[in-house]
Amino acid sequence: MSRKGALLRGAAAAAVAGAIVGLMAAPAAAKPHHPHRDADPIVIAHRGASGYLPEHTLEAYALAVELGADVIEPDLVLTKDGELLARHEPVLDETTDIAQHPEFADRKTTKLIDGVPVTGFFADDFTLAELKTLRAEERLPSVRPQSAAHDGEFELVTYDEVLDFVDDLDRRVVTYPEMKHPSYYDDKGMSIEDALADLLEERRLDKKRSPVWIQSFEYESLLTISERVDNRVGLNIDGQGPISDADLDEYAETLDTVSLNKNRIIPRDANGYLAEPTDVVERAHERGLDVHVWTFRNENQFLPADFREGTAGAAWGDFAAEYELFYSLGVDAVFSDYPDKAIAARDC
């Protein structure tokens, strides 16, 4: 049997075993798990179609919709004047042409993010009008030269503009904003939770059935915004290792989703090969939690060693096999830089 076949068979066995364990030992207060789209996993365009175009641009979101994504994911940071800007982090250096703007040279500074000193240009030191003079650039130009070819073409956009774009579509597309580094803003007397809640309330998108889901890596931030809005909320959990039943019980009481690093579901060994799948998907489902998984990318350097083809890190490997493996475990959604490939693997 091939290694791919063995992995898929192991995943199937893990799923069956997890289901049996769930029937025997499910928590008494467990709520039923109801996937959003029957048995089909949802495809979330990670930062837009970010494998093809510079991330968090209106053009990347539009391409993701054109390719069939169910959900688009804008990461959100705050500007100096309190606007919600679609950027992956407060620092602008890696994804904009800020270095080509000598008029802003004196804004470079060092700040603490999650306790770590970071030097660069920070969005919260610029007004939205100033940020509109910048243009987006590809984060990984040597890996994705086809995207880097569009450097300097696209302006930065606000979440309000993303919502305007979605409103004009002829089909329902969910936006899944992630509040980036809420504690960073708290320390500055700013509230990204209030900024997002204010916008959702203004646009009447603050309801449970709203096509807006909210995510964060900070649990307390999700509890805070849940006091203002009724949208579905999900906690992002990075790293590798087990998640306790006690933690899942707490999340089930307060959240709708756990959004996991792939290694939480299938760990990798020291050489990058996949180990046996864990039972976290089944245990989360027992408690009524959806499970979203990130991030799926086509390039060898991001794939498990099992699915790499050749030695070039930027070359595409057998990404379809990775999707197939995770879909077989019953995950509810995948974050992908290449949403068309996630859809093709799901629908084949």
Side-chain angles (χ1 to χ4, degrees):
M1 181 186 300
S2 68
R3 181 168 178 80
K4 173 183 171 184
L7 284 166
L8 288 169
R9 177 168 292 186
V16 171
I20 294 172
V21 170
L23 290 171
M24 296 175 63
K31 53 188 177 182
H33 172 246
H34 299 294
H36 293 291
R37 299 180 68 251
D38 300 321
D40 289 336
I42 292 166
V43 171
I44 302 165
H46 182 242
R47 312 178 197 173
S50 57
Y52 297 114
L53 291 174
E55 67 189 39
H56 293 311
T57 58
L58 202 57
E59 290 77 8
Y61 299 136
L63 178 58
V65 172
E66 182 181 340
L67 294 175
D70 306 294
V71 181
I72 56 176
E73 185 224 13
D75 294 325
L76 303 181
V77 302
L78 285 174
T79 69
K80 184 177 182 179
D81 44 350
E83 298 289 338
L84 290 164
L85 184 73
R87 288 287 94 191
H88 182 251
E89 62 278 305
V91 186
L92 303 167
D93 300 53
E94 291 187 347
T95 61
T96 76
D97 63 354
I98 185 72
Q100 299 172 36
H101 287 257
E103 68 273 24
F104 298 140
D106 62 346
R107 308 280 182 96
K108 192 167 189 175
T109 187
T110 300
K111 300 185 182 186
L112 291 178
I113 299 181
D114 299 335
V116 178
V118 177
T119 299
F121 296 92
F122 290 76
D124 47 290
D125 288 332
F126 295 82
T127 65
L128 179 59
E130 290 173 325
L131 291 165
K132 282 293 188 178
T133 68
L134 305 182
R135 292 297 178 265
E137 293 189 349
E138 169 56 40
R139 178 187 299 276
L140 303 169
S142 63
V143 178
R144 294 171 175 172
Q146 76 283 358
S147 175
H150 296 278
D151 284 359
E153 294 181 15
F154 309 138
E155 71 173 29
L156 310 192
V157 296
T158 66
Y159 183 43
D160 203 21
E161 291 173 310
V162 175
L163 291 174
D164 285 342
F165 161 71
V166 171
D167 280 349
D168 289 338
L169 296 174
D170 59 5
R171 68 178 177 93
R172 185 179 188 269
V173 173
V174 173
T175 64
Y176 197 176
E178 180 187 334
M179 300 179 293
K180 302 299 293 191
H181 304 287
S183 296
Y184 167 79
Y185 296 109
D186 287 344
D187 292 343
K188 299 182 176 306
M190 306 172 78
S191 173
I192 196 168
E193 297 92 350
D194 283 346
L196 180 54
D198 288 346
L199 179 61
L200 295 180
E201 289 172 354
E202 177 186 337
R203 298 186 69 119
R204 299 183 179 179
L205 291 171
D206 56 336
K207 305 297 188 287
K208 192 72 170 181
R209 294 187 179 276
S210 164
V212 175
W213 309 336
I214 300 170
Q215 56 177 321
S216 176
F217 280 90
E218 297 189 25
Y219 182 52
E220 291 299 322
S221 178
L222 294 170
L223 298 183
T224 296
I225 199 168
S226 291
E227 294 175 358
R228 293 274 316 271
V229 301
D230 293 325
N231 302 68
R232 295 181 62 83
V233 294
L235 178 65
N236 298 333
I237 304 175
D238 202 355
Q240 181 166 304
I243 301 173
S244 71
D245 284 342
D247 283 345
L248 289 175
D249 288 342
E250 180 177 357
Y251 300 152
E253 290 295 320
T254 53
L255 308 173
D256 301 284
T257 302
V258 286
S259 184
L260 307 180
N261 182 310
K262 291 183 292 187
N263 294 346
R264 292 280 183 175
I265 297 175
I266 310 179
R268 299 188 192 188
D269 66 21
N271 295 313
Y273 287 94
L274 294 171
E276 289 298 313
T278 71
D279 63 352
V280 67
V281 176
E282 291 74 32
R283 290 191 296 118
H285 283 174
E286 289 165 13
R287 292 159 172 82
L289 288 164
D290 282 354
V291 178
H292 299 175
V293 190
W294 46 271
T295 301
F296 290 81
R297 299 178 168 108
N298 296 0
E299 295 89 357
N300 278 330
Q301 67 187 70
F302 302 115
L303 288 169
D306 315 73
F307 302 138
R308 296 171 194 161
E309 296 183 348
T311 58
W316 287 11
D318 189 4
F319 55 85
E322 186 183 36
Y323 286 116
E324 183 181 354
L325 178 57
F326 278 85
Y327 288 157
S328 75
L329 290 171
V331 302
D332 299 288
V334 297
F335 288 79
S336 175
D337 288 5
Y338 297 93
D340 54 330
K341 304 307 181 187
I343 291 166
R346 180 191 69 189
D347 297 345
C348 68

